[in-house]
Amino acid sequence: MSGLLRLPGGYNDWRIGLGVASHFGRLGVALLVAAAVLAIALSALALIEERRARGWLLLALRTAGVLACLVTALEPTVELRQVARVPNRVAVLVDASRSMEVRPPDGGPSRAERAVAILDRAAPDIAAWQQAGHEVDLYTFGESVSPATAASLREPPAADATRIGEALGELRARYAGRDLGAVLLISDGIDTGRVGEGPLDATTHAAIEALGAPIHTVGLGEKSLRDLSIAAVLADGFAFVRTPVSIEAVIRQTGLPDRQVEVTLERDGRPIATRGVVLRGDRSEEKIAFDWLPDHPGNFVFRISTPVLAGEALASNNQQSFTLKVIRDRVRVLHLTGRPSWDERFVRAMLRRDPNVDLVSFFILRTETDEQPWNHDDLSLIPFPTFEIFEEQLRSFDLVIFQNFNYAPYGVEPFLPNVRDYVEEGGALAMIGGDLSFASGGYGLTALRDVLPVELPPTPPTLEGDNDTGLNAEAFKPRLSAEGRTHPITSLLLDPRDNELRWSKLPPLEGLNRVPRAKANATTLLTHPTLKGADGKPAPVLVAGETGKGRSLALLTDSAWHWGFLAAGEGDDGRAFQRFWENAIRWLVRDPALMLLHIELDRLEYRRNQPVAARVRAMHADYSPAPNIDVSIGVAPADGVLDANARPLRSLHVTTDADGEVQADIGVLPPGAYRLTGHATIEGRAVTQDETFVVRAGGPELDDVAARDRVLRELAQASGGDYRFEALPSISIRPSREVRVGRQSAVELWSRPFLLLLGVGLLAFEWTLRRRSGHS
């Protein structure tokens, strides 16, 4: 048995412990004490008639003797030890998410500023906690918990999330092995983590129990709040070319009367649609949908926005940007032919066999001027669907091929400006030679002259023929130009020397559409061995060019089928024709597989303050890794305006390693939409690649900025804490834990001989006095 006496002394206290012999047990000790009390009581009863002074003396002697014997019997020990109180810690967590930027409609202090004011007013209480031996730790939390100072609390809140449950779990890990006396949590209660709008989940309850300390909460908010926001954007991450895409947005208003709001959808900085939505009630939301038809592949940046109203709590949540990746499942080709021919047959058969091509083909078997001994109703041929093709369905095609097609008899000429616009906006056009193509077909008088890569005279050649713009029927073997040796279209073989040899062995062609020259910005790939153009250069046979966002190709002969049929008859594998057209189609539609420079972002959407990184890969023409390639990378706003002379916001230079790869660290960018463009020179060929991405201004943190107190109240209730609205609650702190420090010493009182002699002596002296007084 033992007892404890505390002598205070700051953090260190003295403890005096008293113990008795354990071999008697609790019952034995109780019997000994009872016997001693009984002996003293009987002595007191026997001395009732004795004189007061003598009686008290005898009783004192009897009591002292009995106690001395009792102490000897119980074998008491006095234990001296020094103990210390472990200081408890009080963790103060202040919400640093972006919703704390919200101000009242009258423009008063923000939630973050009011939180700082609460702590300033609580300075005397905090000082009192510290004087009582508690240590105070200050933190901010949002996506994670971070140590803070009084100065850092006055910085603008920047976290894009509020994760209260996760913050408590992280706090538990921080205080593992340390004593936590209490938690003070100050927040607007807008949780975007696992807790959400409540109730508390099992993981959070487990974290509260593991903390073992009361959580006191302070709620921040406004009695009235006006805000209009894009609460959510509902869109798939990718889409297919020519497949309609539905983009939905949730528009939410708080504290505003009924109103109609105009919502705008922008792509790459340019508005493409505006719709109105009616919001009813001071806390309501409506869903709005936009339909968009992708006409070409790529990564696109979209933004949905609403006007910023007067007195709104936040302006930054009135818009949301997002990315959409458009991919191509099959290449849709429109093939228009003026009359049947061997070349038409081979082109059409090649396109039909290609599983990656979705072919729509028309060729003319008869015209309105042909003799027709039959009635129209007896013919199975259909009229040429001019309006449907060139007005309704034109932009659903990736590539349009005009092969010896006479536009005049079928009312096509009024629609040729549509074809020009289609190419300039990103489409692809190929024209194949013949007596109805190029200048011979009168295309120099049409809008297509603006997008073809060769110059066409404004008048067709005369009936007698024109040496510069007419037809030449002589056979010839085309030659590869310097550009044609490495261009993707004319790369029948990967090795440049083997490729040039392969072209030299192909059978000759017959017939050439003469044109004055290739356009200045076009690339001549094949030339005539003897004929010259108006500029004195070899007459072009195959020319590729870019116009606007689209591409075009001019094959100025209708005998390319020789590369297949005749070549096979001469012992060749006959695949040159197919390989040529496969290359041409892939180049025209900008097949990503032909890109020798690839830039791959680790993601398409970044959070604010999240570093942007990209992996750059360079390849040779045979698609093997290209080491030691210098790549310049520039970052510019993705506003839809491509200006080659504009200075990028950020630029850097990297060099590929032995594997043809390199990591490019762009760094942190402010919120917005960006286009990352890479430039390099590989095997003498200038290559360019770009990607778009978005740095989001915020996540769901700003979707709904109305303060919530449910989670804060539940935290306080579940942990035994207190909740207050914009005021410091009544803080209860768990008592400090005590631990033993220093030396421990024990003094055995019963082992002193004089104590036993003293007890026996006192009892003998008391007995002697009794005898002399006449007591037995």
Side-chain angles (χ1 to χ4, degrees), residues 524-654:
T524 301
L525 305 179
L526 294 176
T527 61
H528 197 281
T530 59
L531 296 178
K532 305 292 183 181
D535 55 0
K537 296 180 181 180
V541 177
L542 177 65
V543 184
E546 301 196 21
T547 175
K549 295 181 179 180
R551 288 178 170 178
S552 60
L553 180 74
L555 177 58
L556 295 114
T557 181
D558 62 351
S559 58
W561 62 276
H562 290 188
W563 298 334
F565 185 73
L566 296 185
E570 296 176 358
D572 189 86
D573 61 7
R575 293 183 56 84
F577 178 79
Q578 180 175 341
R579 183 65 183 270
F580 161 75
W581 272 111
E582 287 176 349
N583 290 348
I585 292 173
R586 292 168 67 185
W587 181 85
L588 284 165
V589 300
R590 300 179 186 270
D591 189 339
L594 289 181
M595 297 178 183
L596 301 183
L597 181 66
H598 291 260
I599 297 179
E600 299 175 0
L601 294 163
D602 52 354
R603 53 178 51 85
L604 296 179
E605 292 190 4
Y606 295 84
R607 300 188 304 272
R608 189 170 60 165
N609 298 323
Q610 185 177 16
V612 179
R615 187 166 68 100
V616 180
R617 291 190 296 120
M619 297 181 295
H620 292 297
D622 60 356
Y623 302 106
S624 63
N628 303 319
I629 299 296
D630 294 326
V631 183
S632 62
I633 299 176
V635 180
D639 55 2
V641 179
L642 295 176
D643 186 355
N645 299 320
R647 186 174 181 179
L649 298 175
R650 188 168 299 178
S651 60
L652 67 155
H653 298 270
V654 295

Side-chain angles (χ1 to χ4, degrees), residues 383-399:
F384 187 67
T386 306
F387 182 83
E388 290 83 351
I389 291 177
F390 295 105
E391 188 70 31
E392 296 180 348
Q393 299 295 324
L394 179 61
R395 282 166 176 76
S396 70
F397 295 99
D398 298 301
L399 170 63

Side-chain angles (χ1 to χ4, degrees), residues 449-750:
R449 65 178 296 180
D450 298 332
V451 292
L452 286 171
V454 293
E455 291 186 0
L456 298 179
T459 58
T462 61
L463 294 177
E464 292 79 11
D466 191 319
N467 291 333
D468 292 331
T469 60
L471 292 171
N472 185 288
E474 296 179 359
F476 67 97
K477 273 198 171 186
R479 293 177 178 176
L480 281 174
S481 66
E483 295 84 357
R485 292 187 180 96
T486 58
H487 199 279
I489 293 179
T490 47
S491 295
L492 301 181
L493 296 174
L494 296 177
D495 184 86
R497 293 183 179 179
D498 293 342
N499 182 57
E500 189 169 3
L501 182 61
R502 178 70 186 276
W503 276 102
S504 66
K505 292 182 178 181
L506 292 177
L509 305 179
E510 293 181 358
L512 178 71
N513 286 80
R514 299 291 304 277
V515 294
R517 62 182 65 84
K519 288 184 177 177
N521 59 347
T523 303
T524 301
L525 305 179
L526 294 176
T527 61
H528 197 281
T530 59
L531 296 178
K532 305 292 183 181
D535 55 0
K537 296 180 181 180
V541 177
L542 177 65
V543 184
E546 301 196 21
T547 175
K549 295 181 179 180
R551 288 178 170 178
S552 60
L553 180 74
L555 177 58
L556 295 114
T557 181
D558 62 351
S559 58
W561 62 276
H562 290 188
W563 298 334
F565 185 73
L566 296 185
E570 296 176 358
D572 189 86
D573 61 7
R575 293 183 56 84
F577 178 79
Q578 180 175 341
R579 183 65 183 270
F580 161 75
W581 272 111
E582 287 176 349
N583 290 348
I585 292 173
R586 292 168 67 185
W587 181 85
L588 284 165
V589 300
R590 300 179 186 270
D591 189 339
L594 289 181
M595 297 178 183
L596 301 183
L597 181 66
H598 291 260
I599 297 179
E600 299 175 0
L601 294 163
D602 52 354
R603 53 178 51 85
L604 296 179
E605 292 190 4
Y606 295 84
R607 300 188 304 272
R608 189 170 60 165
N609 298 323
Q610 185 177 16
V612 179
R615 187 166 68 100
V616 180
R617 291 190 296 120
M619 297 181 295
H620 292 297
D622 60 356
Y623 302 106
S624 63
N628 303 319
I629 299 296
D630 294 326
V631 183
S632 62
I633 299 176
V635 180
D639 55 2
V641 179
L642 295 176
D643 186 355
N645 299 320
R647 186 174 181 179
L649 298 175
R650 188 168 299 178
S651 60
L652 67 155
H653 298 270
V654 295
T655 302
T656 58
D657 57 17
D659 296 324
E661 299 183 358
V662 64
Q663 181 81 7
D665 295 320
I666 311 302
V668 176
L669 295 168
Y674 298 93
R675 177 176 287 105
L676 188 150
T677 305
H679 300 274
T681 300
I682 302 176
E683 298 177 349
R685 183 189 306 173
V687 293
T688 302
Q689 168 68 355
D690 60 41
E691 289 288 345
T692 55
F693 63 93
V694 168
V695 178
R696 295 198 62 179
E701 176 74 17
L702 302 182
D703 292 347
D704 185 2
V705 295
R708 310 169 195 156
D709 62 359
R710 175 178 177 177
V711 171
L712 301 179
R713 291 180 182 274
E714 290 184 359
L715 283 175
Q717 182 179 3
S719 63
D722 189 22
Y723 168 80
R724 290 288 186 274
F725 179 74
E726 302 215 357
L728 192 68
S730 176
I731 304 294
S732 61
I733 304 176
R734 191 177 61 175
S736 301
R737 182 169 53 90
E738 297 176 349
V739 296
R740 185 173 63 190
V741 297
R743 294 183 177 180
Q744 173 179 318
S745 60
V747 179
E748 296 178 344
L749 300 179
W750 61 274

Side-chain angles (χ1 to χ4, degrees), residues 28 37 59 61 105 149 184 217 249 271 314 321 402 409 439 449 453 464 483 511 530 630 640 726 741 768:
V37 172
L59 182 60
L61 290 172
T149 63
L184 176 61
T217 56
L314 278 179
S321 297
F402 279 64
R449 65 178 296 180
E464 292 79 11
E483 295 84 357
T530 59
D630 294 326
E726 302 215 357
V741 297
T768 302

Side-chain angles (χ1 to χ4, degrees), residues 423-440:
V423 176
E424 292 178 343
E425 294 170 4
L429 171 68
M431 182 172 285
I432 302 174
D435 61 329
L436 301 177
S437 294
F438 298 106
S440 300

Side-chain angles (χ1 to χ4, degrees), residues 303-316:
R303 181 172 63 184
I304 295 180
S305 61
T306 64
V308 178
L309 306 179
E312 276 201 66
L314 278 179
S316 56

